[in-house]
Amino acid sequence: MAMNPPPKFPGVSISLMGRAHGFNLAAELAKLGHLDTLYSSQPRFRSTQWGVPRERVKVTPAWEVARQLGARARLQNRLPHFTYMTFDAHDRAVARRLRPAHVVVAWYHVGLHTLRRARELGAKTIIERGSTHMRFQQELLDEEFARWGQVRVPPRDPWMIERAEREYAEADAIAVPSHWVLRSFLAMGVPREKLIHVPYGVDLEEFRPGHGQRQDPSTFRAVFAGAITIQKGVHYLLEAVHQAGVELWLFGGVHPEMNPFLARHEGRFRLFGHVPQRTLRDRYTRCDVFVMPSVQEGLAMVIPQALACGLPVICTTNTGGEDVVRQGETGFIVPARRPDLIAERLAQLRDDPDLLASMKAAARRSMEGHRGWGEYARDLVTEYTRLAAGEPATPRPAGAWAVGPQGVNRA
């Protein structure tokens, strides 16, 4: 597919802790000639594995090691402020080393000091926020845990919320991946002109339809991949597959909060634990439909990955799926916290082989020539260029690939 050359605009620096999709973005910006520096908490070899040029990477690995060791020891359960301290240390280290650039993009929680220094150097500043507005997110999760009589572990950290809101206020723009996230910021009073909305890409080489044959084609099987948590809504999925009477495969690590729900539905699912991402494609070919029942997401990257593998998707309004899933064609979008509606859609696909086959074919077609990470980076370069020129962000119509809800709905 022919594409116009990217705008002539050099000098984008990125700061992030962990990986997320930051390495994908940095690698593609480097290909386009726009990456100045990636400031990463990961060892240098990890970013170069994703195609980021070694000479463009500066690292602060000590704080990543501290964060990971603290997570393993569950320090954040006893010292909620611990994670904040590692984020802040990385942020300050990057601010001290920051080179001049046209645009500086910092991941949420590690941007405050970096963006302040970037402004001193004359750069435009962007916070990359992959999930809903921090306060909106935390209030929504507090509601969900209270609904089930659960205590959040680790507890909500007010310092993190205050820091996030300072970052939002001080940045020139906030980059978000979905209309669901965009609406959460609008609901919290952030002006629309400050929000850059560009949906994520997907690795279409790694995620594509398989050629293997189902060994048990008579079994209708749903699949979920991700952290098995209350936030991901897996407790609603367990209830939905019980109501629909279908098989469920779960891929991901179990958080302790989910143990009562898993015990209640024992025998109704298969739990595989963590599996390498590269193996998911082959596992998806043994399933019929992917379900993402989250209470809170930004844009669940497993959704386009599943579509690229030829699976129709059932997801909630709170996943960002409306930016990818075509309602009634490549899947179904249902309100969050409605296992009965998920069950209805599972039963519909199970009982209508022709509909299932057409949705599988449509899912595959929907991702052909679709948004790879290169297109994601090119769209962001356009927005970075507009920001540097003092122009507003490019508005995207609601539901660029699907028609979805137009208001923020927590339920």
Side-chain angles (χ1 to χ4, degrees), residues 144-163:
E144 187 63 24
F145 275 79
R147 183 174 188 167
W148 297 99
Q150 292 265 18
V151 176
R152 287 185 63 181
V153 179
R156 176 160 58 146
D157 187 344
W159 292 285
M160 298 293 280
I161 298 175
E162 292 166 8
R163 180 187 176 93

Side-chain angles (χ1 to χ4, degrees), residues 30-352:
K31 292 177 186 177
L32 296 171
H34 297 306
L35 181 67
D36 185 292
T37 307
L38 169 64
Y39 300 92
S40 170
S41 67
Q42 298 276 322
R44 186 174 279 105
F45 77 88
R46 292 196 181 276
S47 54
T48 58
Q49 285 177 334
W50 290 81
V52 184
R54 181 180 179 85
E55 66 275 12
R56 295 289 179 184
V57 183
K58 296 185 183 297
V59 298
T60 63
W63 305 115
E64 180 69 27
V65 171
R67 184 173 72 92
Q68 293 289 347
L69 289 176
R72 290 178 186 177
R74 300 190 177 181
L75 266 182
Q76 69 272 25
N77 296 354
R78 302 191 301 274
L79 301 170
H81 206 46
F82 176 78
T83 302
Y84 167 83
M85 290 188 293
T86 61
F87 288 156
D88 188 69
H90 169 82
D91 182 17
R92 291 177 185 273
V94 172
R96 289 192 297 269
R97 305 174 68 183
L98 193 66
R99 293 159 35 102
H102 290 81
V103 169
V104 173
V105 181
W107 255 240
Y108 63 97
H109 295 333
V110 297
L112 190 61
H113 304 291
T114 298
L115 299 190
R116 287 171 177 173
R117 177 57 180 156
R119 284 202 306 275
E120 293 175 357
L121 296 172
K124 292 292 186 180
T125 59
I126 299 174
I127 284 293
E128 178 75 26
R129 175 63 177 168
S131 195
T132 51
H133 185 289
M134 187 65 177
R135 188 172 295 277
F136 180 95
Q137 176 196 61
Q138 296 302 309
E139 291 176 357
L140 184 58
L141 291 177
D142 282 348
E143 291 173 6
E144 187 63 24
F145 275 79
R147 183 174 188 167
W148 297 99
Q150 292 265 18
V151 176
R152 287 185 63 181
V153 179
R156 176 160 58 146
D157 187 344
W159 292 285
M160 298 293 280
I161 298 175
E162 292 166 8
R163 180 187 176 93
E165 293 186 323
R166 288 202 303 273
E167 289 175 341
Y168 302 157
E170 295 190 24
D172 291 308
I174 305 162
V176 301
S178 68
H179 281 90
W180 157 244
V181 174
L182 185 148
R183 291 194 296 272
S184 77
F185 275 85
L186 297 179
M188 301 305 289
V190 176
R192 175 63 183 89
E193 58 269 20
K194 194 167 186 172
L195 300 169
I196 294 172
H197 167 216
V198 177
Y200 296 142
V202 61
D203 187 339
L204 296 175
E205 291 297 318
E206 183 171 5
F207 294 97
R208 61 190 191 279
H211 299 290
Q213 296 294 320
R214 286 278 301 273
Q215 295 178 343
D216 50 354
S218 62
T219 302
F220 183 89
R221 182 177 297 137
V223 60
F224 166 91
I228 298 174
T229 64
I230 283 180
Q231 175 171 323
K232 296 283 188 179
V234 180
H235 49 309
Y236 294 118
L237 176 56
L238 292 168
E239 178 60 31
V241 296
H242 169 59
Q243 292 181 20
V246 303
E247 188 174 335
L248 173 64
W249 282 8
L250 297 172
F251 295 98
V254 177
H255 287 220
E257 70 212 35
M258 286 300 301
N259 288 332
F261 300 100
L262 294 173
R264 189 179 308 151
H265 293 277
E266 187 174 359
R268 296 172 182 154
F269 59 89
R270 288 188 63 186
L271 178 62
F272 293 85
H274 285 291
V275 298
Q277 180 171 285
R278 65 180 180 276
T279 70
L280 283 176
R281 170 177 169 259
D282 291 334
R283 296 169 189 268
Y284 286 168
T285 62
R286 300 173 62 188
C287 300
D288 295 291
V289 59
F290 186 92
V291 187
M292 178 51 61
S294 300
V295 174
Q296 196 287 136
E297 291 275 351
L299 172 54
M301 284 189 275
V302 289
I303 292 177
Q305 290 169 358
L307 290 170
C309 292
L311 286 184
V313 171
I314 300 172
C315 64
T316 69
T317 52
N318 297 16
T319 63
E322 71 185 272
D323 283 62
V324 185
V325 176
R326 298 189 181 114
Q327 181 76 296
E329 182 180 343
T330 63
F332 298 106
I333 304 169
V334 302
R337 299 168 168 165
R338 290 295 305 272
D340 57 323
L341 297 183
I342 295 175
E344 285 181 15
R345 294 307 189 181
L346 287 170
Q348 182 180 3
L349 290 173
R350 178 199 61 202
D351 297 339
D352 191 338

Side-chain angles (χ1 to χ4, degrees), residues 381-410:
V381 168
T382 298
E383 299 303 329
Y384 298 160
T385 306
R386 294 175 69 90
L387 179 66
E391 299 175 2
T394 306
R396 289 178 179 271
W401 293 282
V403 177
Q406 299 305 306
V408 172
N409 180 6
R410 295 170 182 255

